[in-house]
Structure formats: structure tokens, C-alpha cells
Amino acid sequence: MAPPLQQTILIVTGAVYDQAALEETLAAHGFRAQMVNRGDKALAAVHGGGVSLVLLDVALAGSADFELCRHLGAAAGRKLPILMMSPSPNDDEHKRALAAGATGYGRLPYSVGDLVDQVLVELTVHHAWPARPGAPAFDTRGFEVNYHDMMTGTPDAVMLFDAEHGLPIAVNRGAEALLGRENAQLSQMRLVDLCPPEQPDGRPSSLAVRDLIRKVLAGEIRVFSLSFAHSGGRRIDCELRLVMLNKDGHRLYHMRMVDVTGHKLAEALRAGQNKLLEMVARGAPLRQTLDTLMLLVEGQSTGVLCSTLLLDLDGRTMRAGAAPSLPADFMAAIDGLEIGPAVGSCGTAMFRGQAVVVHDIQADPLWAPYAATAARHGLRACWSMPILLDEDKVLGSFAMYYREPRSPGAEELRLIDVATHLAGIAIARTRHEDELIRHRAHLEELVAARTAELRHAKEQAEMASEELSTALENLSMTQDELVRRDKLAALGALVAGVAHELNTPIGNSLMVASTMAERTRAIKAVMEGGLRRSALESYLRQSAEADDILARNLGRAASLVQSFKSIAVDTDQAQRRRFALGNFISELVLPLHAAVKHLPVEVALDIPEALEMDSYPAPLGRVIHALFENSLVHGFEGRAGGRIAIRARATDKDEIALSYTDDGAGIPAEHLGRIYDPFFTTKLGAGGSGLGLHVAHNIVLGVLGGRIGVESVPGKGVAFTMLLPAVAPL
């Protein structure tokens, strides 16, 4: 019975919850929700009238005595249902809430569905429960709606338990039908008495029920799972929604049961089908797969025993396939029989290629020759379906046995279809594999013959291979010797160049130092006879000139040493950052261009403004600097000037294509393959160390994680192309 329209459920809490969902759900039952966050506002709302029930957060209920609860009851002037809600329910707080006048106790935060359920039950519990021996009587005053009317009208199975005695005090017809027991019998059974000894997860039902009741009494509101035992012995899987009630100091719990057995069986069947298909896919043994299938079907129906028989390749003989629950003697008696028009259910089904249903083995002529065997093992009904391949070829049969006469219903027929389909997949897969094995054996014979022919050819080839191997070994030795000689020659050229380059500044420094030492001795001698001002000034002028010469030559030597050290690129010191490539190149080229005063060089840039890189700008600058110097020293030497172009574009592979070209002398074809070799230069001893392009090559490949290529036509210039990742590797 729905409450009058526009009655109010007052929610007193300082927390923020899904008010819209709660209002919508309560409105469907004729209520409106009002939410306040202070005690004085709650009292004002109750004074205003129309409040049917209060949901009170313990955080706003006052002190430890929850005095706001009492004030709300007094303000209403009647017995006002108050549900105390706590974020951490406990027994002590529960007792204090009941002592303060609360009629119920629950948990925050709440599920909207569960909370509305509790509200509706709390409002509709208005019946005086009949007294039972040893059980307390309940006062009927103040009740507006009959609880039994509510229980009778609902299609769900509902029971109301006395929490103190653990026995039902009200049971509706839905519960009687679900459990297969009458009210009088159920009223003498505790909750644990309605369950099988164990739950599906293996836990004793006594522990499961005790844990469930403990959570409900603590105020926990949620859906619980519990399995019951029907009076006929079958298991009933249920989802329970329990709501704790308090009436005149007595604790009750309202339990609504929903039978989900069919749903769980359907889930188990789907999971079992997936498992079987997986077993077939990975090539599990046929017997193991069929055993799993039989147990899956047996778990879907009470009292069924399943079997699969296989038809031999001769098309006449039955072979035992799988029957994990049937007696082994019974299956042994069937194994080897020939199919025919009256060979039980399975032999006849395979012979006809059609389903055969025998509801009573002892009375059916198809079973006459085998009735005694079936009776000895207690089998009374058998329904068999042939397992077909391509609708015409029989692979075997699937059968369902029962120990009492019966005919199949719609659910059993559906299970038979599922089982025969899965069994057909497994058997066909095994037949195909067996056929492949036979073909493989024949193929192995052909391969053996062909192998013998090839072995002779192999022996002849091995002889030729030995000769080639010897020649290759000699060639490899010759190649290694040539490489060694090239390395020695390169090292000799390097040492000669280094010696020549360092010899000049060091020799100049030594000559100047020795000259100044001699002049110092001379001026000391002059000082003994009196030093003239002109002599001192001449000495100081010569000393300044010597200092300048020493500084230049030692600086040159240091620069040469530094260039030798730069062969190894120091990646640890490189700073990574995101930068605009066009701005960076412009800032880099400007000082390079300005430093070339003796030679008119035009530098053209073609780089989009939006082009950015997340890379190492300093090493990239060293690369551009090395290419620039290479153009000045080699490309434009002896020329009136030149033009350098630097271009960049993004590729579709998250790379930057950066090209550097000049219109200088170019590189001879015989030198292109060696330009990245360390110390290779065509101007050794004339200012070039042969390290610039080597260092640039190492930076591009190592630090920047890219690639560099070169093209050149002598007399027309050179073009270097670098493919650099827009985001450099770490």
C-alpha cells in the first residue's frame, strides 16, 4: 500500500550524496525527499508536519546520547520512525541509537535502492505479531498498514524473523512455494535449517548464516547470496535482501528471497561451453573433453546420468566414449555392440540417424535384449540423440539416463541439443587429427625416399663446400691483413698529421721562449753597468711580442688537442629541451656568418616556424658548426664566395628531415666513403684535423638518434641530409 502523496522523507546529514537519484526513487512511491544539514532545520521541518520518516546522520544527532533523536520524536507529537545512519556501525552505537528513540540503524554511504527498501519496510511494518510460546508479544497500537497484507501482495518470497529467537514469525506464500514447505513447518525452522549442509563455495552453512546475520545486525545493507535446500532435495540459489527492524525494543529482520538458480545454471552452462571449446581448440584428449561435457550437463539437471558412445570407423560398431557417472560394468556391456533397428536407445538412434526417447526401459521393446542389464544398474529411462557430421554422417550418440521412468521436458531437450553440438565438435576435431596423422605417416615415407636422393647430392655439395670454405678462409685472412694494413696506414697518417700540426705551435713557442731567455740574460748583464731607458723599453716591447706569439701558438696547440678529444661525444653533458628549430638555427648561424669576414658567404634558411623538436640543441649546434667549417675550409677555398642553404621539413614518420647544402668545390667520389673516418682530411698539416665530420656523424647517430647521408658532385657542391627524430631517444 503506497503512502499518501507528498509525504516527506527528511534526510538530516552534512555529507553530500546522490540526492537526485534518491528523490526520483522516493517519488515513484509517492514520497518527496527533503535534505537539511543542521539540527534546528530538522526540528523546524518536523514541526511543519508531513514528515513520514527521518534519516538521521549520527554526526548531527548531538552528543553521545543522540538528543536530537529525542527532540525530533517530541516535535512530531507521535511515534516518528527515525533511521539512524552511521559511516562505521558498531553494536555500542546501535544500542545508544535505539535507547534515544531510533527505530532503525544503517550504514552510510547508502545505496539508493537498499535505502528506499528499508524506508518502505519500516513504514509498512504496522502489524501486531502473534505471540508464540517463549516469544514476546508485540503491541498493535500505532500501526496503520497490515504487514501480512504487504507480504501476501508481493510476488517475492518474504520471511520475517525474530532476531532474538532466530525463528520466522511471518512467511508468505512465495516463500512456501520456493522452499516446498508449508507455513507451519517453516515457522519451526531456523534460517540455517533451511540450507544444505554446505554452501556452493564449500563453507558450512552454519558459518555462512552466522556471518550473514552478524552483518545485518551491524546495520549493513546489501544483497547477500545464500543457497537453500528445497523439501525435494534440490538446491536453490537465492539472492537475499535483508532489512533490520526495531519495534518496541525487539529486533526483527525482513528477508526477501529471489531465486537465481536458473540464472546461475545458465551462467555455468555458458562458462562450461567456453571451457569445452577452449579444450577442443588446444587439442585436449577426447576422453577428457567428453568427460567434462558429461559432468557439465549432469550439473544442469537433477538426477541425470550422461554418456557418449562413438561409432567406429567401420560405421557399425559402438565404442564407449565417456560416462563418468554411469557404472563401468554397464558401459563395458555396451562397448562393441553393433548398431541396428532395436539396439537400445543409442544403437537405434545411430542406426536411424534420429532421436530415440525411451521413457521406461523395462517396457520398451527396443531395450528388450538389454533390460536386465539396465535393471541391474537401476536405470529406467534413456533418451538418445545421434551426433552427426554434416547432417548425414553419424559420429556417435549422446544419452541421458534416469533412475525413474520419465519423458524429457523443454529444458532437457535444450540440453541434449547443446551436448550433441559440443560433442560433435570435439569428435570431428579428433577424427580430423587422426586423419592428419595417417597422411603424415604416408608423407614421411615419401620424405624418407626423397631424403635418400638428397643425401647423395648433399655429400657431393659438401665436397665442393669444403673447397669453397678453404678458399673463403684464405680470402678472409687476406682481407684481415688488408684491413690491418689500412689501419696502420691510417694511424701513420694520423700520427704524422698530429705531429706536424703540434710541431709548428710548439716549435714556435720553444723558439720564442729560448730567444727571450737569451735577451733576459743580456739585459741582466747590461744592468750591472747601468740600464738605459731605451734598452728597457726595447726589452719590454720584445717581451710583449714574445708573449703574444706564445699565447697564439699555445692556444693553437690547445685547440688541436681539444679537437682530438672531441672524437668521443660527451652525451652526459648534453641538456635536453623542447625548442623551435627555425629560431635555434637562425641564432646559431648568425655568429658563424658574422665571423667570416674575409669571404662573402650567403646563408639561406628555409625552416617552418611551427617546426619543433624535443632533443639536444647543443650537440645539434656542433653538427651545424662542423658542416659550416667544412664548407669554409674545403668547399669555398680559393673561391670568391659561396652560398649555403639549410632547410627542414617534417616527415610522416615523426622525423625531421634537415638538409645542409653548399655550392662549393664538392667532394671527389673516391673520398665520399671516408669523410666520416676519424682524422681523414685532404688538408692534413694545413689547419684541418680531419675530426669535424667524424664528430658530426657520431652526434647524429648517437645523441640525436638519427641518420646522416651525403651526396656530392665535384665542382657543384655538397648536400648533407639528416633524418632526426622529432623526439630524441632517452
Side-chain angles (χ1 to χ4, degrees):
M1 174 176 173
L5 189 63
Q6 291 305 306
Q7 284 188 299
T8 300
I9 304 300
L10 181 63
I11 305 167
V12 186
T13 179
V16 178
Y17 298 107
D18 191 353
Q19 184 177 358
L22 182 60
E23 288 177 347
E24 182 180 351
T25 308
L26 286 172
H29 295 278
F31 290 100
R32 75 180 185 90
Q34 180 181 355
M35 191 170 289
V36 298
N37 57 8
R38 288 183 1 201
D40 57 343
K41 292 183 179 180
L43 287 170
V46 172
H47 272 300
V51 175
S52 301
L53 181 141
V54 178
L55 296 172
L56 177 59
D57 190 337
V58 294
L60 297 180
S63 65
D65 294 331
F66 303 145
E67 58 269 15
L68 179 59
C69 188
R70 294 191 180 89
H71 295 329
L72 290 172
R78 57 185 171 84
K79 182 64 175 177
L80 178 66
I82 300 176
L83 295 179
M84 196 81 78
M85 310 298 287
S86 174
S88 53
N90 58 74
D91 289 340
D92 176 65
E93 191 175 70
H94 191 175
K95 292 176 183 177
R96 286 188 285 115
L98 297 180
T103 56
Y105 182 74
R107 175 185 291 274
L108 285 175
Y110 53 75
S111 159
V112 170
D114 291 339
L115 184 63
V116 172
D117 246 8
Q118 187 173 7
V119 167
L120 294 178
V121 171
E122 190 72 31
L123 289 172
T124 54
V125 177
H126 296 296
H127 179 73
W129 314 122
R132 292 181 283 104
F138 297 94
D139 188 3
T140 61
R141 291 173 295 174
F143 286 89
E144 300 168 0
V145 179
N146 192 305
Y147 184 80
H148 283 294
D149 290 344
M150 184 193 72
M151 293 181 66
T152 303
T154 181
D156 297 329
V158 178
M159 300 178 72
L160 184 70
F161 282 85
D162 177 3
E164 182 179 353
H165 297 86
L167 293 171
I169 56 177
V171 179
N172 75 347
R173 292 182 180 176
E176 293 178 356
L178 178 66
L179 299 172
R181 293 180 171 89
E182 295 183 356
N183 194 320
Q185 184 183 7
L186 289 173
S187 63
Q188 303 302 316
M189 301 177 70
R190 298 177 182 274
L191 184 57
V192 70
D193 300 331
L194 302 174
C195 301
E198 289 187 353
Q199 292 295 303
D201 60 2
R203 276 196 311 165
S205 290
S206 57
L207 294 180
V209 170
R210 185 174 64 187
D211 183 52
L212 182 149
I213 298 301
R214 179 183 59 79
K215 293 177 180 178
V216 173
L217 294 179
E220 190 168 337
I221 304 174
R222 64 181 177 89
V223 176
F224 299 93
S225 296
L226 194 68
S227 292
F228 294 93
H230 189 271
S231 60
R234 64 183 177 88
R235 193 182 77 193
I236 309 169
D237 296 320
C238 289
E239 286 185 350
L240 309 182
R241 191 183 296 273
L242 289 96
V243 177
M244 191 65 199
L245 306 171
N246 291 279
K247 176 61 181 172
D248 298 334
H250 300 287
R251 293 197 295 181
L252 315 171
Y253 53 90
H254 165 93
M255 182 174 74
R256 190 176 73 193
M257 301 176 287
V258 178
D259 184 1
V260 294
T261 306
H263 176 68
K264 288 195 172 183
L265 287 175
E267 285 186 346
L269 183 60
R270 283 195 297 271
Q273 288 176 289
N274 292 336
K275 178 182 178 182
L276 283 163
L277 292 175
E278 182 181 341
M279 293 175 69
V280 172
R282 70 168 187 261
L286 179 61
R287 178 62 179 271
Q288 179 185 351
T289 304
L290 293 178
D291 279 346
T292 303
L293 174 59
M294 300 303 100
L295 293 174
L296 172 63
V297 176
E298 290 173 359
Q300 293 286 311
S301 182
T302 304
V304 66
L305 306 171
C306 298
S307 76
T308 299
L309 295 180
L310 306 177
L311 187 60
D312 209 338
L313 293 177
D314 61 11
R316 299 188 306 273
T317 309
M318 293 188 295
R319 298 296 180 188
S325 302
L326 283 169
D329 292 348
F330 177 73
M331 295 303 296
I334 297 176
D335 188 51
L337 294 177
E338 289 193 3
I339 63 173
V343 185
S345 299
C346 295
T348 305
M350 284 189 271
F351 181 80
R352 297 178 182 176
Q354 298 176 347
V356 174
V357 175
V358 174
H359 74 277
D360 187 352
I361 289 175
Q362 298 302 317
D364 196 296
L366 296 179
W367 276 84
Y370 321 104
T373 302
R376 187 164 61 251
H377 297 288
L379 304 176
R380 291 297 304 272
C382 179
W383 319 326
S384 183
M385 176 72 76
I387 300 171
L388 302 176
L389 177 66
D390 300 329
E391 299 184 358
D392 57 355
K393 184 177 181 180
V394 178
L395 300 177
S397 67
F398 168 77
M400 300 175 75
Y401 289 87
Y402 288 90
R403 297 192 182 279
E404 69 279 345
R406 59 178 294 183
S407 297
E411 184 61 25
E412 284 86 358
L413 292 175
R414 186 180 69 86
L415 286 175
I416 290 174
D417 287 340
V418 171
T420 52
H421 176 67
L422 292 173
I425 293 174
I427 297 170
R429 168 68 182 266
T430 302
R431 290 278 179 93
H432 290 321
E433 288 180 349
D434 291 344
E435 187 174 354
L436 285 174
I437 290 173
R438 290 194 296 272
H439 285 304
R440 190 179 299 119
H442 177 62
L443 182 60
E444 287 175 354
E445 294 176 359
L446 296 176
V447 169
R450 180 59 177 160
T451 301
E453 296 175 6
L454 294 175
R455 185 176 292 113
H456 178 66
K458 178 187 174 186
E459 291 173 355
Q460 292 182 330
E462 285 177 348
M463 294 176 62
S465 177
E466 288 180 4
E467 296 175 0
L468 289 174
S469 179
T470 302
L472 181 61
E473 184 177 351
N474 293 335
L475 180 61
S476 179
M477 292 173 62
T478 303
Q479 185 180 16
D480 290 344
E481 179 64 21
L482 289 174
V483 169
R484 188 180 68 83
R485 289 181 181 180
D486 285 346
K487 287 182 178 179
L488 289 174
L491 181 58
L494 168 65
V495 171
V498 169
H500 185 277
E501 289 293 331
L502 289 177
N503 186 57
T504 299
I506 293 174
N508 291 340
S509 298
L510 286 174
M511 181 183 68
V512 170
S514 61
T515 300
M516 287 307 300
E518 228 176 278
R519 288 177 179 174
T520 300
R521 284 194 299 271
I523 201 168
K524 282 183 180 180
V526 171
M527 286 178 63
E528 293 176 359
L531 181 63
R532 290 185 180 184
R533 179 183 180 88
S534 59
L536 178 60
E537 289 176 349
S538 176
Y539 175 79
L540 292 175
R541 186 175 58 256
Q542 292 171 351
S543 178
E545 291 175 356
D547 288 346
D548 182 56
I549 294 171
L550 281 172
R552 284 202 311 273
N553 282 276
L554 291 176
R556 172 61 179 163
S559 176
L560 288 170
V561 171
Q562 184 61 34
S563 67
F564 300 151
K565 290 171 62 179
S566 66
I567 295 174
V569 180
D570 188 2
T571 60
D572 293 338
Q573 300 302 319
Q575 297 297 318
R576 177 181 182 144
R577 63 181 175 88
R578 190 171 187 85
F579 58 94
L581 183 60
N583 293 339
F584 173 74
I585 297 294
S586 298
E587 295 172 358
L588 180 68
V589 168
L590 188 61
L592 293 177
H593 190 212
V596 185
K597 299 178 180 178
H598 63 284
L599 190 66
V601 176
E602 177 188 352
V603 180
L605 300 181
D606 181 13
I607 303 175
E609 292 184 3
L611 200 58
E612 291 189 345
M613 294 183 69
D614 183 357
S615 189
Y616 301 92
L620 178 58
R622 291 180 63 186
V623 174
I624 301 298
H625 187 274
L627 297 178
F628 196 88
E629 283 196 345
N630 187 70
S631 295
L632 297 180
V633 174
H634 299 281
F636 301 145
E637 183 186 29
R639 296 187 173 222
R643 186 176 189 275
I644 295 173
I646 302 176
R647 300 180 179 86
R649 61 179 178 83
T651 71
D652 56 359
K653 297 181 180 179
D654 293 329
E655 291 181 326
I656 303 296
L658 180 63
S659 67
Y660 175 98
T661 62
D662 69 36
D663 59 355
I667 302 173
E670 64 270 18
H671 293 161
L672 275 177
R674 301 186 61 192
I675 61 173
Y676 301 130
D677 292 350
F679 303 108
F680 174 76
T681 179
T682 57
K683 296 188 178 297
L684 188 63
S689 63
L691 295 175
L693 292 183
H694 173 70
V695 172
H697 181 267
N698 286 356
I699 291 175
V700 171
L701 269 65
V703 179
L704 303 180
R707 306 183 298 281
I708 184 170
V710 62
E711 295 179 355
S712 179
V713 176
K716 294 186 178 181
V718 66
F720 290 91
T721 302
M722 292 169 278
L723 289 175
L724 308 174
V727 179
L730 298 176

